[in-house]
Amino acid sequence: MINTCRNERLDHIMLNSNLHLPKNRHINLVQKNKIWVGMFPAMASDCEIHFANIDRKIAERLTLIAANETWRIQDKFSRYQDDSVISKINTSYQTPFKADIETAALINYAFQCYDISDGLFDITSGVLRKVWRFDGSDNIPTQSEIDQCLPLIGMDKIVWSDQRIQLKKGMEIDFGGIGKEYAVDKALQLCSQHYTCPMMVNFGGDIAANQPPEKNKAWQIGISTLENEKEARSLFELESGGIATSGDTSRFLLKDGIRYSHILNPKTGWSIHDAPHSVTVAANTCTDAGILATIASLQGSDAEGFLKSQEIIFSCQR
Amino acid sequence: MNNRQSIKKQINISEKKNDSVSAAKLITAATCALLAATSVQSLAAEDKGWQVDSAVLLYQEKDRVEAVEPAIRATKKFDNDSILNLKVVVDTLTGASPSGATATDKPVTYTRPSGNGSYITPAGEIPLDDTFKDTRTQLSVGYDAPLGDTSRYSVGLNVSSEFDYESMGISGSWQKDFNQRNTTFMLGLAYASDTIKPKGGIPTPFASMQPAGIDPVREGTDDSKQVTDFIIGLTQVINRNTLMQFNYSYGQSSGYLNDPFKIVSVIDSVTGDTLDNIYEARPEDRTKQSLFWKTKYHTPWSDTVDFSVRLMSDDWGIDSTTLDFKYRWNISPKWYVEPHVRLYSQTSADFYVHSLPDNGPTTAYLSADYRLAEFDATTYGAKVGYKLSERAEFNIRAELYEQTGDSNPGDAIGLQRQQDLYPDLEATILQFGYTFRW
């Protein structure tokens, strides 16, 4: 047993030292039954990609491809790096920023979701985090604090034409609401272009698969959405498509017996009342599922009703 | 119309937003468009930029020629899958090479081909002439692009220049994939036109080499040759680990095919003494055909075996066989070692002689150039590579070349029997290479 552990560890060291990746960016491979699972940290999650019917070498290569693509997206749209695309857009009030093909496609997509959701899905709503601090305390913001944010929110205030984007001073955009789900779909797309085999991507509960691992079998996925929960609350069997979860598991404020979830209505600046603790949706792609889960959460008490009317598979926890 | 208005038109959103039944469908359509629009992006991001390969080759024959050859090649892949290639090579040659004259038992004075100056070869040694030492610069440009879904074409231009030789050539090829890209068929054509302007002029074939100071016998200051090559090839994926390639090529050269610096010794038919040295005469045409087969095999432990055979035959009477074997041993993701062995064997040209007896029949063509003789050659060595990063690699190649021919041919006359008429040639090759992408 000691020898196997040592070999695995050597493998791990060889794998990573020779990939010239910085210490917090590494990939690891384990085999569970006949499935190779590639793992790497990204987007504040433990990311996994499962492969059926291939050998280790290919799993390693594909995991590296998926990891590099995820880190690429993470760096490109990171709020914390000054040279990221998002940072440049957030300082575009002086000079409009010319978006590349991918950024333009994401901005267009955000606008479409804004229209479809009647303004509830809004990537400019991030400024509200300056007044809403979800630390489990009872510090809810005052109306006047919220009123100061409202003029800086609203995608209809963005100037977007000819692939040039310009925000008003003080406005910010953030792809946090779709970034992880987009990375899941992109990782799957890119790996599928390099090799044909069943694969399932799972970035901390945001999932996509291209085909079932075996004929007449499906990927078994357990979603446990509340912290400290070891048992899965919902069990999904996924053949292909995407799953995403929107939830408030640990981010909330509690005052006078009312729970304020971190799902905020961008039109009023207030927390959505009676939003489910978590919403899990299955759809064609992870990005689809993510948007639908977010819009459903924004319906508050009507989340289930909204999802039922869309005729899609879902699960809500309250 | 700005982007937003066009989006709204695209997905037909009605002003009444109570239509929530279609929200999921609208989102699905929007996501589809997003993932389609960004897929080209992912692929293009991988290969963008330039890749530069650079190397310096050091070639040293024992007691003979020395060459230093720096080369640099830059390749750029574009978004539309086309590739631009630029290459510059500089060759500097120094040292001396056999002139074709025979080894003999007394020191002999030979005139330089230019007519100015001479050199003395000691007794018992093969005469070496250092006149050809020179610096050559070569420039190549190539462009390779897709033609529809499964075809590609390429065009290239080559020019090279040295003090007494210039060459200009163009090439083109077309290839098509079949069988889900498991089979590739290729056609290629190349044409080159060379001009030679040796110092001292073009020697008259069969004319005697004049002593230094006396006007050499010449027939012009320059001449030219044209070379056309045609190749047809098939590359086939045999299985997941094996790839094979088959090529047939046909080449035709015409024009001035002599080496103006090469001579043939006329010897006494009884004693073997050198009586005269005359300039060689090769045909004005040469047709070459060759068959090539290569196999590349990927071992289960991720190394690669590369094996090829080439059979060549031309209408000068030279038939040759080349066997080449390489094993790429990937020691670790950073290091590799690649041992290499090449075996070569050729028969002599019909008009090749090591020397000409003075009572022999006159022949239309004549040459004593050791490269047209019958010989075997072995090359063996290894290359070691180190990946500095995902984008850069450094490598060193060291090889030994040994060429052996008939040192004591059966028709050696008199004193020639004590001479080594085809000394072994040994050369060391050392190459330093550096590849990087940015």
Side-chain angles (χ1 to χ4, degrees):
Chain A
M1 170 134 135
I2 294 174
N3 280 336
T4 357
C5 288
R6 232 186 28 176
N7 285 342
E8 266 169 26
R9 205 167 158 261
L10 274 172
D11 261 345
H12 175 89
I13 292 171
M14 280 269 280
L15 201 58
N16 293 298
S17 66
N18 294 312
L19 295 171
H20 317 283
L21 299 167
K23 278 215 156 58
N24 61 340
R25 290 195 166 176
H26 50 270
I27 72 171
N28 200 4
L29 276 171
V30 297
Q31 193 175 26
K32 296 179 182 165
N33 302 322
K34 289 206 204 123
I35 309 275
W36 276 105
V37 182
M39 303 184 281
F40 54 92
M43 307 220 158
S45 301
D46 290 323
C47 299
E48 289 183 357
I49 175 162
H50 298 234
F51 304 100
N53 299 337
I54 57 170
D55 56 45
R56 190 185 195 283
K57 274 283 164 185
I58 300 182
E60 186 185 314
R61 260 186 47 221
L62 290 172
T63 305
L64 191 58
I65 288 170
N68 279 327
E69 175 69 354
T70 310
W71 290 323
R72 176 191 76 80
I73 294 172
Q74 185 180 330
D75 291 337
K76 185 170 178 181
F77 300 115
S78 162
R79 263 204 329 249
Y80 308 107
Q81 290 179 23
D82 290 335
D83 56 353
S84 74
V85 164
I86 289 292
S87 296
K88 291 197 187 127
I89 294 176
N90 290 344
T91 51
S92 66
Y93 58 89
Q94 283 172 336
T95 343
F97 175 76
K98 173 109 197 250
D100 61 277
I101 298 175
E102 184 180 36
T103 309
L106 282 163
I107 294 172
N108 281 332
Y109 183 70
F111 272 111
Q112 286 168 304
C113 294
Y114 174 76
D115 285 328
I116 295 167
S117 67
D118 202 14
L120 287 179
F121 179 87
D122 191 322
I123 58 173
T124 61
S125 57
V127 293
L128 285 169
R129 83 187 118 73
K130 292 188 183 145
V131 300
W132 285 93
R133 302 232 175 79
F134 293 99
D135 50 10
S137 70
D138 63 353
N139 282 332
I140 62 168
T142 61
Q143 184 61 55
S144 75
E145 280 174 322
I146 290 177
D147 286 343
Q148 276 173 5
C149 290
L150 289 178
L152 303 173
I153 300 171
M155 285 184 75
D156 51 341
K157 300 186 177 78
I158 297 177
V159 176
W160 169 235
S161 81
D162 201 25
Q163 266 185 277
R164 283 186 160 76
I165 181 168
Q166 191 171 33
L167 306 179
K168 305 244 176 313
K169 188 162 182 194
M171 281 181 79
E172 277 179 18
I173 65 164
D174 181 9
F175 285 131
I178 48 175
K180 188 138 78 94
E181 294 85 345
Y182 174 68
V184 166
D185 287 329
K186 291 299 288 173
L188 185 68
Q189 182 191 59
L190 200 56
C191 288
S192 304
Q193 279 163 346
H194 275 85
Y195 201 80
T196 306
C197 72
M199 22 184 127
M200 188 264 287
V201 177
N202 184 348
F203 290 179
D206 290 320
I207 296 158
N210 59 353
Q211 47 174 293
E214 271 173 66
K215 230 163 88 163
N216 303 325
K217 241 185 142 188
W219 300 98
Q220 306 287 319
I221 298 158
I223 310 274
S224 56
T225 48
L226 297 179
E227 262 192 30
N228 302 324
E229 213 177 60
K230 293 218 170 100
E231 275 182 35
R233 282 244 172 173
S234 352
L235 196 65
F236 280 80
E237 280 197 341
L238 183 67
E239 286 190 4
S240 71
I243 299 179
T245 304
S246 172
D248 73 348
T249 55
S250 53
R251 293 191 285 158
F252 61 91
L253 293 174
L254 196 61
K255 182 165 177 171
D256 300 334
I258 299 176
R259 185 187 174 104
Y260 294 84
S261 80
H262 82 286
I263 314 279
L264 303 171
N265 185 328
K267 298 203 254 194
T268 64
W270 279 95
S271 172
I272 299 280
H273 272 288
D274 272 350
H277 282 192
S278 81
V279 180
T280 304
V281 172
N284 260 2
T285 63
C286 190
T287 309
D288 278 350
I291 300 287
L292 287 166
T294 305
I295 296 176
S297 296
L298 287 160
Q299 309 296 322
S301 50
D302 195 35
E304 289 89 338
F306 168 77
L307 290 169
K308 280 209 187 90
S309 72
Q310 298 303 314
E311 295 170 352
I312 51 184
I313 301 165
F314 69 92
S315 157
C316 280
Q317 268 109 57
R318 286 195 174 274
Chain B
M1 193 198 302
N2 71 17
N3 281 14
R4 288 227 29 232
Q5 286 162 337
S6 62
I7 295 165
K8 279 191 169 168
K9 270 198 180 283
Q10 254 181 309
I11 54 178
N12 253 331
I13 294 182
S14 60
E15 287 307 317
K16 296 206 191 98
K17 293 295 192 309
N18 289 330
D19 223 331
S20 65
V21 172
S22 55
K25 294 206 174 79
L26 290 169
I27 288 169
T28 305
T31 313
C32 226
L34 169 70
L35 292 174
T38 55
S39 86
V40 174
Q41 175 83 3
S42 314
L43 292 177
E46 283 172 87
D47 281 343
K48 236 183 1 193
W50 288 88
Q51 175 170 319
V52 178
D53 296 282
S54 60
V56 175
L57 176 80
L58 304 168
Y59 173 85
Q60 171 83 64
E61 285 171 4
K62 188 152 173 251
D63 302 326
R64 294 193 199 174
V65 171
E66 190 178 303
V68 178
E69 189 184 282
I72 186 159
R73 180 179 65 181
T75 309
K76 168 131 173 102
K77 287 196 200 183
F78 295 98
D79 283 345
N80 63 352
D81 233 355
S82 65
I83 303 169
L84 181 69
N85 234 302
L86 299 163
K87 185 161 104 164
V88 179
V89 181
V90 179
D91 270 298
T92 31
L93 289 162
T94 51
S97 197
S99 63
T102 188
T104 192
D105 64 354
K106 332 171 176 37
V108 181
T109 304
Y110 297 95
T111 315
R112 293 192 184 291
S114 61
N116 309 324
S118 54
Y119 57 98
I120 301 173
T121 302
E125 280 185 22
I126 194 100
L128 301 175
D129 174 9
D130 66 355
T131 312
F132 67 91
K133 66 173 157 225
D134 208 347
T135 303
R136 181 180 74 129
T137 310
Q138 187 188 309
L139 232 79
S140 312
V141 182
Y143 183 72
D144 189 296
L147 197 63
D149 237 3
T150 51
S151 301
R152 287 191 79 94
Y153 74 93
S154 79
V155 288
L157 181 71
N158 280 296
V159 289
S160 82
S161 173
E162 59 199 279
F163 174 68
D164 57 3
Y165 199 100
E166 261 163 30
S167 171
M168 180 129 83
I170 52 170
S171 64
S173 78
W174 171 81
Q175 68 181 55
K176 189 169 167 76
D177 290 335
F178 298 90
N179 248 348
Q180 282 123 29
R181 295 181 190 273
N182 284 323
T183 310
T184 306
F185 176 73
M186 189 264 280
L187 288 171
L189 199 61
Y191 173 78
S193 176
D194 297 356
T195 313
I196 180 159
K197 196 170 172 176
K199 192 167 171 202
I202 302 280
T204 306
F206 299 107
S208 297
M209 189 174 70
Q210 301 299 313
I214 300 187
D215 273 344
V217 184
R218 296 289 185 254
E219 56 173 35
T221 52
D222 56 80
D223 211 330
S224 68
K225 84 169 188 240
Q226 287 77 40
V227 182
T228 313
D229 282 296
F230 166 73
I231 182 167
I232 181 169
L234 193 78
T235 307
Q236 176 71 44
V237 173
I238 306 291
N239 60 39
R240 219 184 85 190
N241 299 311
T242 317
L243 189 72
M244 284 194 191
Q245 187 177 82
F246 306 89
N247 289 340
Y248 166 76
S249 33
Y250 178 89
Q252 168 88 26
S253 318
S254 53
Y256 184 76
L257 305 181
N258 293 349
D259 186 325
F261 309 124
K262 295 283 190 251
I263 50 182
V264 183
S265 297
V266 180
I267 57 170
D268 184 288
S269 53
V270 173
T271 63
D273 276 303
T274 305
L275 303 173
D276 194 7
N277 289 293
I278 61 177
Y279 291 100
E280 67 165 31
R282 302 188 198 191
E284 295 220 313
D285 288 288
R286 184 180 191 181
T287 305
K288 267 198 222 189
Q289 293 184 78
S290 72
L291 282 171
F292 176 77
W293 170 49
K294 181 187 202 141
T295 303
K296 251 182 143 75
Y297 172 67
H298 190 71
T299 66
W301 53 92
S302 293
D303 289 339
T304 314
V305 179
D306 214 300
F307 177 67
S308 67
V309 180
R310 180 191 297 272
L311 302 170
M312 196 278 291
S313 180
D314 71 12
D315 63 352
W316 283 5
I318 300 180
D319 295 322
S320 76
T321 310
T322 315
L323 295 168
D324 197 292
F325 176 82
K326 274 196 197 119
Y327 183 85
R328 165 90 146 214
W329 175 25
N330 290 309
I331 302 177
S332 78
K334 264 200 210 179
W335 287 95
Y336 70 83
V337 174
E338 190 175 270
H340 171 232
V341 175
R342 178 181 177 263
L343 301 171
Y344 178 82
S345 178
Q346 75 171 42
T347 60
S348 68
D350 297 331
F351 52 86
Y352 169 81
V353 293
H354 58 78
S355 49
L356 188 68
D358 66 348
N359 66 346
T362 46
T363 53
Y365 306 113
L366 195 68
S367 175
D369 188 338
Y370 76 102
R371 295 168 299 185
L372 298 178
E374 184 178 296
F375 69 82
D376 296 325
T378 313
T379 313
Y380 52 92
K383 180 168 165 185
V384 178
Y386 176 70
K387 290 197 174 60
L388 294 150
S389 76
E390 267 229 4
R391 294 171 170 268
E393 177 185 304
F394 177 68
N395 55 63
I396 300 181
R397 175 167 71 102
E399 291 186 327
L400 211 65
Y401 174 81
E402 282 170 358
Q403 183 182 317
T404 50
D406 201 348
S407 294
N408 298 301
D411 61 352
I413 295 173
L415 62 91
Q416 284 188 322
R417 290 185 195 279
Q418 274 77 51
Q419 301 296 322
D420 182 350
L421 298 185
Y422 201 102
D424 292 349
L425 169 63
E426 265 173 34
T428 6
I429 299 162
L430 197 60
Q431 182 182 302
F432 300 93
Y434 181 64
T435 302
F436 62 95
R437 272 204 228 215
W438 101 91

